[in-house]
Amino acid sequence: MKSNIMLTSAAALLVSVAGANAMEYRPFVGASMGLQGSVYSDSVKDFERAAGIDFPTDFFVFGIESGVRAGEYNQIYNGGLTLSATKTTYSKVQAKYTDDRVASADMFNIAASYDNYIRISGDKANRIDLVLGAGLGMMAYHIDIVGDDSETRWSFAPEVKAGMDFELTHNVTLSATARAVIPTRSGYESDMTYIIGGAVKYIF
């Protein structure tokens, strides 16, 4: 009886180890760029009307990302973790009727997300994946006023994202992604920002 239990336990352990060895963990690094837009809060819109100025709604954004993808290459579903950081260029806050710059604004985001990769490429040699993810992060809105002090305000900012990954080779992937970043701080400048862009990733 004891022998049977030991043999059964050994078999279960071997199956478990074999399953773990079959799982692939592939780290990656990448660079991204695109456009980031801002949906301003009602208080900012009221301030714009009262002060006769317009805050920028569109920014050019660039960033870096890294993480790991887990799952067998030939399986339909893979999971993974992504760490990302994005920074916009400065855009001007301008007077409504003269277009004079009264300030400059930019944004910075950092986030960690869990991503679901769902293969939709059928029997093609290279993977094409639908990517759906959600995560947690922080957002900074920085404004540099002409002739006055600058200010940076941070907010906790969860995010959701959807996109596509197109595998060029086994190690190089192109991504197209849309992200919605939702600041939670009360009285914050932005109710939501969105990032639409692409990335080149090298997967080890």
Side-chain angles (χ1 to χ4, degrees), residues 38-185:
S38 180
V39 179
Y40 289 104
S41 64
D42 289 340
S43 60
V44 168
K45 294 176 183 177
D46 290 341
F47 180 74
E48 283 181 316
R49 287 190 290 268
I53 61 174
D54 289 318
F55 280 84
T57 56
D58 298 307
F59 301 79
F60 179 74
V61 65
F62 56 93
I64 56 174
E65 56 186 58
S66 65
V68 64
R69 182 165 169 163
E72 295 180 54
Y73 180 80
N74 293 324
Q75 293 297 310
I76 291 176
Y77 175 81
N78 284 181
L81 296 173
T82 300
L83 303 176
S84 64
T86 59
K87 169 73 170 62
T88 71
T89 55
Y90 279 98
S91 290
K92 69 177 182 178
V93 181
Q94 62 187 34
K96 281 185 179 293
Y97 307 110
T98 65
D99 292 339
D100 292 336
R101 183 175 68 89
V102 298
S104 297
D106 72 306
M107 292 181 286
F108 175 73
N109 295 85
I110 54 174
S113 66
Y114 181 83
D115 300 324
N116 302 278
Y117 300 89
I118 304 167
R119 183 169 185 163
I120 60 175
S121 58
D123 59 355
K124 294 181 180 179
N126 296 333
R127 286 187 70 115
I128 299 175
D129 290 283
L130 172 66
V131 184
L132 302 172
L136 303 175
M138 296 289 291
M139 173 186 167
Y141 191 95
H142 173 80
I143 187 164
D144 189 3
I145 302 170
V146 175
D148 204 341
D149 294 333
S150 63
E151 181 183 6
T152 301
R153 299 186 72 204
W154 287 87
S155 174
F156 177 68
E159 71 169 43
V160 294
K161 64 181 177 179
M164 301 281 288
D165 269 11
F166 302 90
E167 184 182 74
L168 301 183
T169 70
H170 192 61
N171 298 103
V172 179
T173 295
L174 292 180
S175 298
T177 308
R179 297 163 55 190
V181 181
I182 307 167
T184 60
R185 179 173 174 172

